[in-house]
Amino acid sequence: MSKTRVPYSAVSLESPEGGRVHFTDDLHDSDAADVEDNELFDMTQSSEILEVADNDTAYYGMALSSRQRMRKRRGFWVTVVALVVFSVVGMFWLYVGGINWMQRSQKRNVILMISDGFGPASETMARNYMQKTRGLPVGYQSPLDELLVGSSRTRSSDSLVTDSAAGATAFACGLKSYNGAIGVDADKGPCGTLLEAAKLQRNMATGLVVTSRITHATPGAFSAHVAGREMEDLIAEYQVGNYSLGRVVDLMLGGGRCHFESGTSSNSSCRVDDRDLLSEAKRSGIRTLNSRHEFDKLDARGADVLPLLGTFAPSHMDYEIDRDATQQPSLAEMSEKALQVLEAATRGRNSGFFLMIEGSRIDMAAHTNDPAAHVREIIAYWDTVAAVRAYVDAHPDTVMISVSDHETGGLSVAKQLGPDYPEYRWNPQALEAAQHSIEYISLRLLPGPLQADEVHNEQSKYAFVRDTVFAKWLGIADAKHEELLAVARETDSIRLRELLSTALSDRAQLGWATHGHSAVDVNLYAYGKDAHLLRGNHENTDIGTIIEQMLDLDLSEITRMVKQDRTIQGTPAHAEAWLGRRDLDAPEHYPHIH
């Protein structure tokens, strides 16, 4: 038998080498085909015992069949390891690269609800009011109670007590700015907003629904870039598309028609210049609504509904306690209509919508320290939350976030009425009979276009205050002569409101610390897809950045695009006084509004 050069390591105990034999570089595994011809491994011809030097020599010292089985096992494990490595690499790629594609290809709806001026005490007050006046059980939970996930801090860049402009800018741009800032940073430079990025980067439909002027601080911060919140004429120009990005808001419903009407051709205009933005909007294809009738006639699921601008009052819409349902839609009705319109507009598309809804006048009632108007605004907001939650239930690709920009009024659900130790009580029933807001009442008592005919002399005014203001509109049957006389004689708007507030708040035993805002943390609510991301205590800027991440947006890119847009209004702007006097006295501030 001829000798075959073996390609493996093996030594005999009697081998003269007395050590390990190594492969040569030019030998391959195929050279082992003649291994059985090698007398070194012929176990039938020799009783020599082989000793292997290590695992490799043990392997090559095996019989061919054993080696083949081991090769199969090795091949199996190599395949398994390769698959594991491939899976890990694939998952890593999916996370760092593919996730962007997945996010952009998945339809998402984000509904951001802002309850302006609504603090934790206000939620307690409204819940207690419902329990006591509707006979609800102790365990009753409001539509918001069921969705509580955390809280939000509210400070601005220049104060521990924010205003609505800086608060909304924190949500819209994800950054801190100064009080009064509308979509600009602390250096007064434009900052890209969630609404702009949703439209331009995700091709999402966009909307704003409010009960204030649509040009007011909160909606303005999502749709404009101005250095001061009082520049509402310029905000209106942004909203109809007069800036570098063009029109980015598809739907706007609320009040504030006066900032879109020409100052020279309309009796209800509050613009300083003669621009007629309503006509400009119509020429650019924006559909306009100006009445409840037009609102009701709108086929939300019809074609060519968007873009849409609906303004249902010259200034702010009426408080819920004052609202004539035949003249103005409620916040819930406008929100439901908006959801129908936006859903129809995005049906069949891979992109959803971004909608901001604001319960605007919760804040204004608290500025006036008006507990009856405040609680009705909260309940109207609850109705809206319930409607939006029902939409989320039917559309699992949607998230609803509800948060306040700040607390207003320093409300406490208790009030000490004298020097003696106070009673532990408050009386929600004292608010139940009120029929009108303090704002409504004061405008009927003071000189102006809405002044009641009965107040033109002191005697008739006293009787009007006693029989109509207190007994009917405030629901107070035990008014004292001193209270009635003080209200009948008061001519200052702010002092009159304080007298009326005291009459209601003392009887309800509710306390107010301020006519302004406070620095208290506010409740944070969320429901739907990825709602868990909102759990815990957050800076208000976190709300914006979380939504930015949810939608895979890049606000810095939008900021670069708008950095050259003007932020100063070319015409004089009306500066707001303390107590938000312009907001409280809109018909007085604009004497030509009827």
Side-chain angles (χ1 to χ4, degrees):
M1 180 181 300
S2 61
K3 296 287 183 179
T4 302
R5 197 175 176 194
V6 292
Y8 36 74
S9 301
V11 292
S12 168
L13 289 177
E14 298 178 358
S15 172
E17 291 83 1
R20 182 172 178 175
V21 180
H22 296 280
F23 292 116
T24 59
D25 293 338
D26 60 332
L27 293 179
H28 303 283
D29 216 36
S30 59
D31 294 331
D34 295 328
V35 67
E36 291 184 352
D37 293 335
N38 191 329
E39 61 183 13
L40 182 63
F41 293 95
D42 188 349
M43 302 303 293
T44 64
Q45 297 181 22
S46 174
S47 59
E48 295 177 339
I49 302 174
L50 297 177
E51 180 179 299
V52 295
D54 53 21
N55 288 338
D56 287 341
T57 58
Y59 169 75
Y60 288 106
M62 294 178 181
L64 179 60
S65 58
S66 298
R67 296 200 312 276
Q68 289 173 335
R69 287 193 298 271
M70 183 167 285
R71 285 175 181 171
K72 290 181 180 179
R73 287 195 294 271
R74 281 190 175 182
F76 168 77
W77 287 111
V78 168
T79 302
V80 169
V81 171
L83 287 172
V84 170
V85 171
F86 178 80
S87 300
V88 170
V89 172
M91 291 175 67
F92 179 75
W93 173 88
L94 183 63
Y95 179 77
V96 299
I99 196 68
N100 291 333
W101 176 85
M102 289 184 65
Q103 288 176 331
R104 291 184 180 276
S105 65
Q106 292 176 346
K107 187 171 184 177
R108 292 293 306 269
N109 302 320
V110 172
I111 304 169
L112 175 59
M113 302 185 67
I114 300 174
S115 46
D116 199 323
F118 176 63
S122 296
E123 173 72 3
T124 301
M125 182 188 78
R127 185 195 311 118
N128 291 166
Y129 175 86
M130 291 291 288
Q131 289 171 318
K132 288 295 186 180
T133 62
R134 310 290 173 87
L136 299 176
V138 172
Y140 163 75
Q141 288 192 313
S142 78
L144 281 177
D145 287 331
E146 298 173 349
L147 311 180
L148 182 66
V149 296
S151 59
S152 173
R153 306 174 190 180
T154 61
R155 66 185 296 171
S156 66
S157 68
D158 65 346
S159 177
L160 290 173
V161 181
T162 190
D163 79 332
S164 294
T169 296
F171 299 146
C173 295
L175 55 78
K176 295 285 187 182
S177 197
Y178 58 91
N179 286 355
I182 298 290
V184 296
D185 61 26
D187 296 320
K188 300 186 178 181
C191 56
T193 73
L194 293 171
L195 185 145
E196 293 170 325
K199 167 58 69 176
L200 298 179
Q201 295 175 346
R202 290 291 302 270
N203 192 32
M204 300 176 78
T206 58
L208 302 170
V209 176
V210 301
T211 50
S212 66
R213 295 187 293 272
I214 197 70
T215 54
H216 208 237
T218 301
F222 285 85
S223 56
H225 308 282
V226 303
R229 59 180 293 172
E230 69 277 4
M231 302 179 190
E232 292 187 50
D233 286 358
L234 180 54
I235 292 173
E237 294 171 28
Y238 268 93
Q239 290 175 331
V240 297
N242 288 337
Y243 76 119
S244 62
L245 302 184
R247 182 188 54 77
V248 295
V249 191
D250 294 314
L251 176 147
M252 290 180 281
L253 299 176
R257 185 167 56 250
C258 67
H259 283 286
F260 295 87
E261 296 178 314
S262 169
T264 58
S265 62
S266 172
N267 289 330
S268 62
S269 174
C270 51
R271 289 190 68 85
V272 178
D273 60 24
D274 61 356
R275 289 192 66 174
D276 184 349
L277 293 185
L278 285 179
S279 295
E280 291 182 27
K282 292 175 184 177
R283 287 195 297 270
S284 68
I286 298 176
R287 184 172 185 169
T288 62
L289 305 176
N290 298 313
S291 68
R292 174 74 201 233
H293 176 68
E294 292 176 334
F295 175 85
D296 291 338
K297 281 180 55 180
L298 180 70
D299 181 3
R301 296 179 174 84
D304 301 324
V305 173
L306 297 179
L308 177 67
L309 170 61
T311 51
F312 307 106
S315 184
H316 302 307
M317 297 179 70
D318 292 338
Y319 282 118
E320 183 63 23
I321 196 172
D322 302 323
R323 183 176 66 89
D324 181 347
T326 67
Q327 300 298 311
Q328 295 181 2
S330 68
L331 180 64
E333 289 172 328
M334 291 191 294
S335 299
E336 288 179 309
K337 183 81 78 173
L339 290 171
Q340 293 168 1
V341 170
L342 295 173
E343 180 186 355
T346 57
R347 186 175 295 119
R349 286 167 46 179
N350 205 32
S351 56
F353 60 80
F354 174 85
L355 174 63
M356 192 285 291
I357 300 171
E358 184 190 31
S360 316
R361 306 216 70 191
I362 298 172
D363 168 73
M364 298 175 196
H367 273 296
T368 319
N369 295 173
D370 183 345
H374 188 61
V375 74
R376 301 306 207 291
E377 290 299 306
I378 295 168
I379 294 170
Y381 185 78
W382 283 355
D383 290 342
T384 309
V385 169
V388 172
R389 180 176 179 174
Y391 182 88
V392 175
D393 285 335
H395 300 81
D397 52 1
T398 305
V399 64
M400 176 193 76
I401 300 167
S402 176
V403 66
S404 303
D405 48 359
H406 54 77
E407 191 272 348
T408 300
L411 174 68
S412 61
V413 192
K415 186 173 186 178
Q416 184 164 339
L417 300 178
D420 295 334
Y421 194 79
E423 296 180 277
Y424 288 172
R425 60 181 302 179
W426 87 273
N427 308 310
Q429 295 92 334
L431 308 179
E432 185 178 12
Q435 297 180 8
H436 283 297
S437 69
I438 289 173
E439 176 185 271
Y440 177 98
I441 294 170
S442 65
L443 293 174
R444 271 73 188 169
L445 292 175
L446 297 173
L450 299 179
Q451 186 179 38
D453 294 336
E454 296 89 337
V455 302
H456 292 301
N457 65 73
E458 186 173 334
Q459 185 176 358
S460 63
K461 187 175 183 180
Y462 180 91
F464 179 76
V465 168
R466 181 192 61 211
D467 300 335
T468 301
V469 172
F470 273 77
K472 183 178 179 182
W473 290 349
L474 294 179
I476 296 174
D478 60 348
K480 299 179 176 62
H481 169 71
E482 294 78 8
E483 289 181 291
L484 300 173
L485 188 61
V487 168
R489 288 179 172 177
E490 188 56 64
T491 58
D492 178 76
S493 174
I494 293 174
R495 179 58 189 155
L496 175 61
R497 284 170 165 79
E498 289 177 340
L499 291 171
L500 296 171
S501 169
T502 298
L504 269 180
S505 299
D506 280 4
R507 287 169 171 83
Q509 291 190 223
L510 289 169
W512 302 91
T514 178
H515 283 295
H517 302 167
S518 74
V520 69
D521 288 1
V522 293
N523 290 347
L524 176 60
Y525 308 88
Y527 184 69
K529 187 176 179 65
D530 293 331
H532 65 280
L533 298 176
L534 282 300
R535 290 175 185 164
N537 178 264
H538 296 273
E539 280 294 335
N540 52 10
T541 52
D542 294 344
I543 311 303
T545 55
I546 289 171
I547 296 174
E548 180 183 13
Q549 293 165 5
M550 282 181 175
L551 296 177
D552 188 31
L553 304 176
D554 183 358
L555 296 186
S556 62
E557 179 184 355
I558 303 300
T559 298
R560 289 190 292 271
M561 296 171 67
V562 299
K563 65 180 180 180
Q564 299 301 325
D565 283 298
R566 67 186 179 116
T567 60
I568 303 297
Q569 185 171 300
T571 55
H574 300 288
E576 293 189 304
W578 82 278
L579 185 54
R581 188 164 186 168
R582 180 186 177 192
D583 293 339
L584 296 174
D585 301 321
E588 299 173 28
H589 191 84
Y590 307 122
H592 51 282
I593 295 179
H594 302 289

